Amino acid sequence: MRESAGKVYLIGAGPGDPGLFTLKGKQCLEEADVVAYDALANPRLLLHARQDAELIYVGKRGGQHALPQDEIGKLLVERARAGKTVARLKGGDPFVFGRGGEEAEELAAAGIPFEIVPGVTSAVAAPAYAGIPLTHRDFTSTVAFVTGHEDPTKEDTSIAWDKIATGIGTLVFFMGVGQLAEIVARLVEHGRSPETPAAVIRWGTRAEQRVVTGTLATLVERSAGVKPPALIVVGEVVALRDKLRWFEDKPLFGRRILVTRAREQASAFGQRLEAAGAEVIEFPTIQIEPPENWAPLDAAIARIREYQWVIFTSANGVRHFWDRLRNAGRDARDLFGIKVCAIGPATAMALLDRGVRADVVPPEFKAEALGEALGREGVRGARVLLARAAEAREVLPEELTRGGAAVDVVPAYRTVKSAANADEVRTLLRDGKIDAVTFTSSSTVRYFLELVGPDAAERLRGVVVASIGPITADTAARHGIVSDVMPDSYTIPALAGALVRHF
């Protein structure tokens, strides 16, 4: 009796920019029990996978296959027959020089249900990010995708060079940079003008994108030293690049920035940096966990009407407080008549999303400024609930107590060291491939040092260090790390803006 079959999704990972990944692909990754991914799939896409999903690298680097193609097919069939939902993540589009057809045939032969999830092919995306339209009414209405991996000098070539050389307006060659001289020779031999504009695009859509332009007569010499992965584009449309280039003109283009925020919070920050052209490496040094015991917070919520003030020092505190408020059968109406304070705009927005407008938001987003603002409000004799992280500075409760308030400090959450794999980050720092590292709290600094190792400060030499505010910068300084960038306003948007201005 045959085992119940699972299902396989053959998913196009797109060309490299994670923003070009499809919503359908994201949904399939979120459902998958197993993810088998290629070298050209951006590692950030794996963040969409479930934490308990089995991740299997099956790509090729330096000519070496982690798993031969026939073994990949066997792997997909084996996992699916075990009842697993499998996501096969392939760079670009699986059906455009991605060998997706071969894998689909194997699945069909084995009776395994499968779906094809198209991806944005690099043949379209890389030229677009280089400012090269593949078609244009003034230049051409035809385009062809051609493999450059085939040796053009062999006698039994399957490419009709005599037809494509002059019969197609724009030619896009995949995997052809190693054969560029032969490709150019064949095109010219069969009638294409040596003055035809042409380009080589390496790592299109990514921070390390490099574009070399010329003509068929000059491109081989100009692109000497360019290594795979790269596309070759031939056609009059290449001449439009000078007017239409846009990606490389972004302020953070070519910069690789390490984000150390908790994974739940990193996305919004990363999106701001990516919008400015950066490549973001997510390295969550902390993760947000519930407190070890909910009893103190639950008890405070049970007597919430006894407080005159409730203070939140982060959006995380708001989120966890509200979870327990709902768990107790209460809602925002129970805060009626109680003054609410938020340490900054993100915390205030988290409250507003839950129907509560903060009465006090200090102009400077740190505990000292919050204490001063509350002092001006007059808290003497008031009972104050401070819902915050389990481990935090005592500046605020001490200042409130000196001002005559009765303060109950209850943990709403705790920050713990993430289980992030630091090997890749150590390698990138060692090889000088990180341009900036960002710290958004003292916890991110401390756990970064623990994860990267005792020589972390040394590894940061030559790397721009961006700290969200003076408290974080002071923590870094105590460990020998000098902050090069710090915004005037201690917020994530301001930190992103400060990095843009710095570069």
Side-chain angles (χ1 to χ4, degrees):
M1 182 175 178
R2 199 179 81 174
E3 299 176 39
S4 61
K7 187 170 187 175
V8 176
Y9 293 102
L10 297 176
I11 306 170
D17 181 345
L20 298 180
F21 192 46
T22 67
L23 292 174
K24 178 68 178 288
K26 176 177 178 288
Q27 178 186 338
C28 294
L29 275 185
E30 291 169 343
E31 296 175 2
D33 303 300
V34 181
V35 179
Y37 63 99
D38 278 350
L40 294 181
N42 191 311
R44 286 193 64 203
L45 300 182
L46 300 178
L47 298 176
H48 298 306
R50 300 199 322 253
Q51 288 192 348
D52 62 341
E54 180 185 11
L55 305 181
I56 306 173
Y57 174 65
V58 296
K60 181 176 76 169
R61 291 189 187 277
Q64 299 296 314
H65 288 270
L67 207 63
Q69 185 62 40
D70 60 338
E71 293 295 322
I72 294 174
K74 291 178 183 177
L75 172 72
L76 302 179
V77 170
E78 175 189 292
R79 293 298 195 276
R81 279 184 172 160
K84 305 286 187 181
T85 298
V86 182
R88 172 70 173 104
L89 193 59
K90 304 173 71 66
D93 180 278
F95 274 15
V96 181
F97 297 115
R99 305 191 73 171
E102 298 169 48
E103 292 176 12
E105 283 185 299
E106 290 188 62
L107 294 169
I112 301 296
F114 65 90
E115 287 188 25
I116 309 300
V117 182
V120 178
T121 172
S122 59
V124 171
Y129 272 52
I132 301 172
L134 295 184
T135 62
H136 191 286
R137 294 181 68 172
D138 295 335
F139 295 96
T140 181
S141 57
T142 58
V143 61
F145 301 157
V146 187
T147 178
H149 197 57
E150 179 187 69
D151 183 354
T153 63
K154 66 181 183 180
E155 293 183 4
D156 58 345
T157 177
S158 60
I159 299 173
W161 293 97
D162 58 328
K163 294 181 173 61
I164 68 168
T166 57
I168 303 293
T170 304
L171 298 170
V172 181
F173 291 89
F174 283 72
M175 305 167 290
V177 69
Q179 306 287 346
L180 179 58
E182 289 82 1
I183 290 172
V184 168
R186 281 294 183 104
L187 291 175
V188 172
E189 175 189 347
H190 288 92
R192 196 77 172 219
S193 168
E195 299 307 310
T196 303
V200 172
I201 308 168
R202 184 172 192 265
W203 282 123
T205 80
R206 298 172 65 127
E208 60 264 61
Q209 174 175 300
R210 180 185 174 193
V211 182
V212 179
T213 58
T215 64
L216 288 180
T218 64
L219 190 63
V220 174
E221 182 179 353
R222 289 189 178 187
S223 61
V226 176
K227 297 179 180 179
L231 288 174
I232 303 163
V233 184
V234 177
E236 298 300 326
V237 288
V238 173
L240 292 170
R241 169 172 159 77
D242 288 341
K243 287 193 295 184
L244 302 184
R245 58 179 290 164
W246 59 274
F247 184 48
E248 294 119 308
D249 294 335
K250 289 194 169 192
L252 293 181
F253 172 75
R255 306 294 183 180
R256 189 179 279 114
I257 299 177
L258 194 70
V259 173
T260 59
R261 293 194 95 191
R263 180 155 290 157
E264 306 94 316
Q265 301 168 305
S267 295
F269 186 28
Q271 287 167 6
R272 288 180 179 273
L273 297 174
E274 286 172 340
E279 178 181 347
V280 173
I281 306 293
E282 287 192 12
F283 181 52
T285 59
I286 63 173
Q287 58 189 44
I288 308 302
E289 298 281 357
E292 293 182 352
N293 190 343
W294 285 117
L297 181 58
D298 289 343
I301 289 173
R303 57 178 187 272
I304 192 69
R305 301 303 305 169
E306 298 177 13
Y307 293 102
Q308 285 76 53
W309 284 90
V310 179
I311 300 173
F312 297 98
T313 58
S314 73
N316 287 316
V318 174
R319 178 165 58 88
H320 283 85
F321 178 90
W322 242 260
D323 287 345
R324 300 310 293 180
L325 191 71
R326 284 195 297 265
N327 188 65
R330 295 170 178 262
D331 57 31
R333 290 172 295 182
D334 288 275
L335 296 179
F336 176 75
I338 300 172
K339 290 191 174 182
V340 178
C341 181
I343 201 169
T347 308
M349 183 57 68
L351 284 166
L352 198 59
D353 288 343
R354 291 160 174 83
V356 175
R357 186 180 300 277
D359 296 284
V360 175
V361 182
E364 195 174 4
F365 313 133
K366 60 181 182 178
E368 289 85 349
L370 184 55
E372 292 173 10
L374 289 171
R376 290 191 294 272
E377 291 287 327
V379 294
R380 181 171 297 279
R383 190 164 184 187
V384 178
L385 173 61
L386 174 56
R388 67 174 196 181
E391 294 183 6
R393 296 188 308 141
E394 297 303 319
V395 172
L396 180 57
E398 289 174 356
E399 188 162 335
L400 291 172
T401 300
R402 282 195 299 271
V407 184
D408 289 343
V409 180
V410 295
Y413 65 98
R414 60 196 174 102
T415 57
V416 300
K417 183 170 65 175
S418 170
N421 186 347
D423 290 342
E424 179 188 2
V425 170
R426 291 192 199 98
T427 300
L428 290 171
L429 287 170
R430 182 199 66 200
D431 296 343
K433 292 185 177 180
I434 297 292
D435 295 290
V437 59
T438 61
F439 295 119
T440 54
S441 68
S442 292
S443 296
T444 60
V445 176
R446 290 193 297 269
Y447 291 137
F448 174 86
L449 293 167
E450 288 187 28
L451 287 164
V452 175
D455 61 343
E458 182 64 29
R459 288 177 184 266
L460 288 177
R461 292 191 184 279
V463 177
V464 172
V465 175
S467 293
I468 196 168
I471 305 302
T472 303
D474 287 347
T475 302
R478 288 198 298 272
H479 293 90
I481 300 171
V482 177
S483 296
D484 306 286
V485 175
M486 187 177 71
D488 295 329
S489 176
Y490 315 141
T491 65
I492 290 301
L495 182 60
L499 275 166
V500 168
R501 289 190 296 276
H502 178 86
F503 284 114

